[in-house]
Amino acid sequence: MNGLIFLIPIALGLGLLGLAAFFWSLRRGQFDDLDGAALRIFVEEEEEGGRP
């Protein structure tokens, strides 16, 4: 039972740390363009200099 005295605050602290990191990434715009990166793989980029 004495271990729970240490483990519960540590678990709550880590949970709050993860929640704070999530909200920080929301403010920084990490999740603004979810489809752009996924669809960018299908777009062919033109090479500089052309083909021989």
Side-chain angles (χ1 to χ4, degrees):
M1 279 310 261
N2 288 337
L4 290 177
I5 294 172
F6 296 108
L7 291 177
I8 290 175
I10 290 173
L12 289 174
L14 288 175
L16 288 175
L17 183 68
L19 189 63
F22 173 71
F23 284 124
W24 176 79
S25 66
L26 275 178
R27 271 195 320 245
R28 298 290 179 176
Q30 182 71 28
F31 302 110
D32 283 347
D33 185 20
L34 295 178
D35 294 328
L39 296 176
R40 200 172 303 135
I41 193 171
F42 297 117
V43 177
E44 292 184 22
E45 295 181 13
E46 295 182 18
E47 296 180 13
E48 292 183 25
R51 295 184 187 187

